[in-house]
Amino acid sequence: ASASSVPAVLAPWQPDTALGIGQLQRFLSKPVAYFFNQRLKVYFSQAGDDTIDDEPFALDGLQRYGASQSVLHAAIDPAMVDVDRSIAGATRRLHDEGRLPPAGFGALVQTQISEQISALAASWHEACRQWPLADAQHELRHVGAGLLIEDWLTDLRRVDAGRHGRLELLNGALLTKDGALRHEKLIPAWIIHLLANANGLAMQTRVISADAQPVLRVLSREDAAERLDQLLAALQAGMQAPLPIAM
């Protein structure tokens, strides 16, 4: 499109329907990309500079994540009976589908993924035993900054008598090399956490990752609502012009 076809000032943004949790999560993770996607219908390539080299003996970051995610899904499948057997079967499928490097390099990656997912799945299953799923589903609703967000909470858990919790599984590192928490990785869990507490559920959230298990504390209804209002106001502003940084 030519420069003249792009409006100098965008019309005020107001969604036709209620927002879902995923929309706010995507905006807060990549606010500039979300603005261009939603307001200008411009989509950026997901390929990064670090994936230019086509090295047949290793997986790039995205390929390795996809491979390990496939194995993780098998390892936490509720219908799964034997974790080790499920992981072994999933890693064999990676080999059969040609998603691993050739020869001994593939065997090495296969072993690394198996060990990584085995440890992560063990942490997840132990956390699930500690916090069993509650039976009820909860409709979540909040109005702030002129926006309505609605969604369902389907994975609420029982911490103990009268207290609720939720588990978020993260495939990957949550800490930097210096041991600092990568807060941007907590955005998906944080949005659900705020919305649940703003609806009066008094819920804590525990994030399960390979290198850390931080817990988001219970917030008062008023505190959670105020924080959620701030994020919705940022979304409203970020749909009129690109925000300079991620929230």
Side-chain angles (χ1 to χ4, degrees):
S2 64
S4 60
S5 66
V6 179
V9 178
L10 291 171
W13 177 73
Q14 189 64 41
D16 297 330
T17 59
L19 298 170
I21 289 172
Q23 291 168 277
L24 187 55
Q25 290 171 332
R26 289 191 294 273
F27 166 75
L28 293 173
S29 296
K30 296 183 177 179
V32 174
Y34 193 82
F35 167 81
F36 276 93
N37 294 168
Q38 299 299 311
R39 298 309 311 267
L40 303 180
K41 306 306 178 185
V42 175
Y43 297 89
F44 300 103
S45 171
Q46 296 298 312
D49 292 338
D50 58 345
T51 63
I52 292 175
D53 293 334
D54 185 14
E55 171 56 66
F57 303 115
L59 299 182
D60 63 36
L62 188 58
Q63 290 172 328
R64 189 182 184 98
Y65 175 82
S68 63
Q69 192 73 356
S70 297
V71 179
L72 180 58
H73 285 161
I76 65 170
D77 186 342
M80 173 270 306
V81 176
D82 187 302
V83 176
D84 292 336
R85 183 175 298 177
S86 295
I87 291 175
T91 55
R92 280 196 303 271
R93 284 192 295 274
L94 292 178
H95 176 270
D96 295 342
E97 294 167 0
R99 298 173 62 186
L100 297 175
F105 297 99
L108 176 60
V109 172
Q110 190 173 353
T111 299
Q112 292 171 342
I113 290 176
S114 295
E115 293 175 350
Q116 169 198 343
I117 297 304
S118 179
L120 184 56
S123 297
W124 172 257
H125 289 299
E126 177 59 28
C128 291
R129 282 190 287 271
Q130 295 174 358
W131 291 6
L133 279 170
D135 296 329
Q137 299 182 6
H138 293 266
E139 186 176 11
L140 304 179
R141 187 178 189 275
H142 182 79
V143 177
L147 299 173
L148 169 63
I149 182 169
E150 286 183 333
D151 222 316
W152 286 89
L153 182 64
T154 61
D155 55 354
L156 189 68
R157 295 176 177 272
R158 297 189 302 272
V159 177
D160 52 33
R163 292 201 304 160
H164 300 107
R166 180 179 174 274
L167 298 175
E168 178 92 6
L169 182 60
L170 176 66
N171 180 15
L174 194 52
L175 302 178
T176 66
K177 293 180 179 180
D178 298 328
L181 196 62
R182 301 173 64 185
H183 291 92
E184 74 278 5
K185 296 289 187 180
L186 299 177
I187 288 175
W190 179 239
I191 300 305
I192 300 172
H193 185 78
L194 287 181
L195 188 56
N197 280 275
N199 278 259
L201 282 180
M203 183 188 81
Q204 59 181 305
T205 300
R206 181 177 170 189
V207 181
I208 310 296
S209 76
D211 55 359
Q213 294 190 21
V215 175
L216 307 178
R217 63 179 177 83
V218 174
L219 300 173
S220 70
R221 190 168 192 160
E222 295 74 21
D223 188 13
E226 181 180 356
R227 294 169 187 256
L228 193 54
D229 287 347
Q230 293 171 352
L231 297 183
L232 289 171
L235 172 59
Q236 187 71 269
M239 289 295 95
Q240 291 304 125
L243 295 182
I245 58 172
M247 298 303 294

